[in-house]
Amino acid sequence: MSWLERLAADERGIEGLPVRLIIAFVVGVAALSVMLNMISGVESFAVAELDVKPEPHVVGPEEQTIELTAIGSDDGPVADATIVVESGTATLDSMAVATTDTDGTASVTIDPSLGPNQAKGTVTIDIEPPSGSNYMDRRENSHITVVASGA
C-alpha cells in the first residue's frame, strides 16, 4: 500500500489541518500588524503636531484683540500657518482668520457673546499648517474661554 493510499484511508489525517491553518493565520496577521505599525511609526518622525497658544486665554464678552502663537511639537514658533477663530459655546458674529508672521504670531479681533444665563463659554481655534511643511494638526487645539462679568 503506497503512502497516498494510506493517507486516503486514514480518516484522522485532516484533523490537525484546521488548527494549523488558524495558527498560521493568527501569526501572519500579527506579523502584518507589527510591520504596518513600523511603517506608520516612520511617518511620525517626519511630522510635527501644531498647536496654538492664545494670549489672553480667558476673556470677557466684549471686543478685544487676541494674540495667537502657532507652535510646533518642539515649542518653537511656526511661520505662515493660518489660524481660524470661530464660535464654540460662546458666539462670534463672524470667524476671524489670520496668518502667522516669522515669529509665529498673529492677531485677531473678536467680539464674543454669551447666551442668556450663560456664565461661561469657549471660542474654538483651528490651525492650518503652512503648505509644503511637515506639520499636521490632528489633535484638539487650545481654546479661548469667555467668562461673563461678575461670574
Side-chain angles (χ1 to χ4, degrees):
M1 186 179 245
S2 72
W3 69 271
L4 190 55
E5 291 171 335
R6 281 190 311 231
L7 181 64
D10 188 1
E11 293 181 14
R12 298 176 308 125
I14 199 165
E15 283 179 1
L17 184 60
V19 173
R20 288 186 187 119
L21 285 176
I22 291 172
I23 291 171
F25 179 74
V26 169
V27 169
V29 168
L32 181 62
S33 173
V34 168
M35 286 188 287
L36 289 175
N37 194 20
M38 288 171 55
I39 291 171
S40 68
V42 170
E43 177 189 357
S44 68
F45 290 119
V47 177
E49 180 69 24
L50 283 179
D51 197 8
V52 179
K53 286 189 178 178
E55 186 58 43
H57 63 277
V58 178
V59 298
E62 68 267 346
E63 185 173 315
Q64 57 218 292
T65 300
I66 306 293
E67 186 170 303
L68 305 161
T69 304
I71 55 169
S73 56
D74 60 352
D75 286 335
V78 177
D80 298 323
T82 303
I83 300 175
V84 179
V85 180
E86 55 191 343
S87 297
T89 57
T91 306
L92 296 176
D93 290 336
S94 64
M95 77 171 116
V97 179
T99 301
T100 59
D101 59 17
T102 56
D103 294 330
T105 60
S107 294
V108 295
T109 300
I110 60 170
D111 187 8
S113 59
L114 296 170
N117 300 321
Q118 184 181 7
K120 181 173 108 172
T122 58
V123 174
T124 63
I125 304 172
D126 286 321
I127 184 166
E128 290 294 323
S131 61
S133 70
N134 289 333
Y135 292 106
M136 293 190 88
D137 183 32
R138 291 187 253 183
R139 294 185 301 211
E140 184 177 342
N141 295 312
S142 303
H143 60 271
I144 301 168
T145 303
V146 181
V147 179
S149 307

